[in-house]
Amino acid sequence: MTDSDIFCDRLKASAVIAVLMIDDAEDAIPLAHALLRGGVQAMELTLRTPAAFDALQRITKDVPRMYAGVGTILTPDQVKMTKEGGAAFGVAPGMNPCVVDAAKELGLPFAPGIATPSDIEAAYMKGCRIMKFFPAEPSGGLAYLRSANAPYAHLGISYIPLGGIGTKNLRAYLECPEVIAVGGSWIATRELIRAKDWDTISRNSEQAISIAAQTRG
């Protein structure tokens, strides 16, 4: 089984990916355990803070049960650092051909960001079959995604929607056959992490996974 196959299978099994902004790498391990206690088994550590790579290395070393990836990858150098840091996958907010090429060269499972049919075509031509739909709700939500994907439905593309999604609309997204998993920053917000409110993060995780289980069985 290839890394890409594992990427696909793990996302399907996880259904929900916690999207995280960590300011202090010391919070990484208790955060990962809090998510796992609630049932969330996949995370995207965004490169929006200097602590992200340190946090990644701590989690991959000490919490191997967590399927840990890196998001907000904007440059080929960040792809290299992501791979060297032990990340299982990478995600970007946009479709940058140079970044996709770097991920392919290093063998890093990667989901570029798409928001238009042109983005979908560009990503597909680069060999991407899993794409991040971002920003989901501001772009038009689930109805827009279904319309945009319609000409490409026969290609077997899967999407990870992120942006404006929470408990109120999580079920609807997970009911969409083209949605492989949903990214959520509401599960462990930056404020909750800063406050070290692990109990609330575990409850949010449990609620999200409960919705996923009810939806997908």
Side-chain angles (χ1 to χ4, degrees):
M1 182 177 286
T2 67
D3 287 343
S4 293
D5 291 333
I6 294 171
F7 182 39
C8 183
D9 288 348
R10 289 296 299 265
L11 291 186
K12 283 181 180 177
S14 300
V16 178
I17 304 168
V19 179
L20 311 166
M21 291 180 65
I22 298 180
D23 293 287
D24 184 351
E26 293 289 337
D27 292 332
I29 292 175
L31 170 60
H33 284 305
L35 291 168
L36 287 170
R37 280 196 299 273
V40 169
Q41 300 179 37
M43 62 163 57
E44 173 194 325
L45 294 159
T46 64
L47 297 183
R48 302 185 191 183
T49 68
F53 281 121
D54 189 359
L56 171 68
Q57 291 170 350
R58 293 179 188 224
I59 291 167
T60 55
K61 177 178 180 292
D62 294 329
V63 196
R65 284 179 55 208
M66 178 59 71
Y67 191 61
V70 169
T72 322
I73 297 176
L74 305 178
T75 69
D77 284 343
Q78 289 178 331
V79 173
K80 182 179 179 182
M81 293 172 69
T82 296
K83 180 69 174 180
E84 291 174 348
F89 64 93
V91 180
M95 173 51 210
N96 184 327
C98 295
V99 172
V100 174
D101 287 344
K104 186 183 300 184
E105 182 179 346
L106 292 174
L108 178 71
F110 193 78
I114 62 91
T116 68
S118 294
D119 293 338
I120 294 172
E121 290 188 21
Y124 184 82
M125 292 303 293
K126 284 291 185 180
C128 300
R129 299 297 180 267
I130 298 176
M131 305 174 192
K132 174 179 176 178
F133 173 40
F134 177 81
E137 284 294 291
S139 294
L142 191 54
Y144 173 82
L145 176 61
R146 285 176 170 147
S147 295
N149 180 66
Y152 315 107
H154 62 291
L155 299 178
I157 298 170
S158 298
Y159 300 93
I160 307 169
L162 171 65
I165 301 174
T167 54
K168 292 183 179 179
N169 54 4
L170 175 60
R171 185 187 304 274
Y173 276 94
L174 289 175
E175 287 174 344
C176 179
E178 290 76 26
V179 171
I180 191 170
V182 172
S185 57
W186 85 91
I187 298 169
T189 64
R190 192 176 193 177
E191 292 72 26
L192 285 173
I193 297 170
R194 283 174 169 172
K196 306 183 191 303
D197 192 348
W198 313 130
D199 288 341
T200 296
I201 289 172
S202 289
R203 286 195 297 270
N204 290 347
S205 301
E206 187 174 2
Q207 183 181 31
I209 293 302
S210 175
I211 293 171
Q214 291 168 17
T215 306
R216 295 189 168 178

